[in-house]
Amino acid sequence: MIKTVVTLMLVTLLSSFHCWAKFTVVTELSPPNQTWLNDQVAGISTELVKAILDTAALEGEFYMYPWARALDTAKDKPNTLIYSMAKTPQREALFHWIGPVALFHLGFVTNQSPRKIQIETLEDAKQYRLAVQREDVAAQVLHKLGFEFIETADIQHSYRLLAANKVDLVVDDPRYISVMAQAMKLPDDHFRYVLDIEPLSVRGYLAASLATSPERVAQLRAAYQQLVDTPLYRRALFE
């Protein structure tokens, strides 16, 4: 009898622990969607992800990593979320996809004058030095298009190379370049958007590791659907 009671207590305790287990939530620096403020991960997409977790009655601990590390972490560990990630054919089977939490219209950015950098087509851009984040969707797409580029750990490193004139171009959304300039204590107009990369108009998703339980994934998806008509969702998706 005592053994049975102890066993039941252990089962209850373990069940309770599983219920309250925190998610590990990983992302990269990508202002204004994912920023680092007061030693915490912040930004509009982060607010939406936190709202999804709150609505699902789940907790999360947020970490900011270089993109390649964030991707590796999210692939291997249970109860792990990653955002804002493009849903590519190569990635589709590797995660449980919760829903979009960001919208990107990516293109080439420079700090050079129009006399030095003249780009009207993607082919024109191939003559210039380019920096792209490792394992980023931009790296995959541009590699297929025949581009050569320097790989960096994150968008901040790419911009640093650009600001130091070690590369001529980086890839970013035109809405974010002034934010990056401000973060680097440069004039708002220091960087210049040059050309859209049409295949890189993409939504950035919140996704869960395959090792995450179906019950947790269902909770997150249900919570996401509850937020799609809110002002926070519209702000994050620029709709």
Side-chain angles (χ1 to χ4, degrees), residues 60-85:
E61 292 185 351
F62 286 70
Y63 299 90
M64 183 170 284
Y65 296 138
W67 182 248
R69 181 180 174 187
L71 200 58
D72 285 343
T73 300
K75 283 179 184 176
D76 298 332
K77 296 183 178 179
N79 290 342
T80 303
L81 302 176
I82 183 171
Y83 70 104
S84 306
M85 182 167 63

Side-chain angles (χ1 to χ4, degrees), residues 126 128-136 138-140 142-143 147-155 157-162 165-171:
K126 290 181 180 179
Y128 299 108
R129 298 170 299 171
L130 172 65
V132 181
Q133 294 79 256
R134 189 176 299 110
E135 298 291 340
D136 189 82
Q140 299 171 13
L142 292 173
H143 177 72
F147 280 82
E148 295 182 357
F149 44 80
I150 296 170
E151 290 188 310
T152 63
D154 55 41
I155 188 67
H157 282 80
S158 294
Y159 268 101
R160 284 174 182 165
L161 290 177
L162 182 60
N165 296 319
K166 293 182 178 179
V167 298
D168 304 307
L169 300 170
V170 299
V171 176

Side-chain angles (χ1 to χ4, degrees), residues 2 42 87 148 154 156 178 184 207 231 236:
I2 294 176
K87 189 177 182 181
E148 295 182 357
D154 55 41
Q156 196 169 36
S178 63
M184 299 175 71

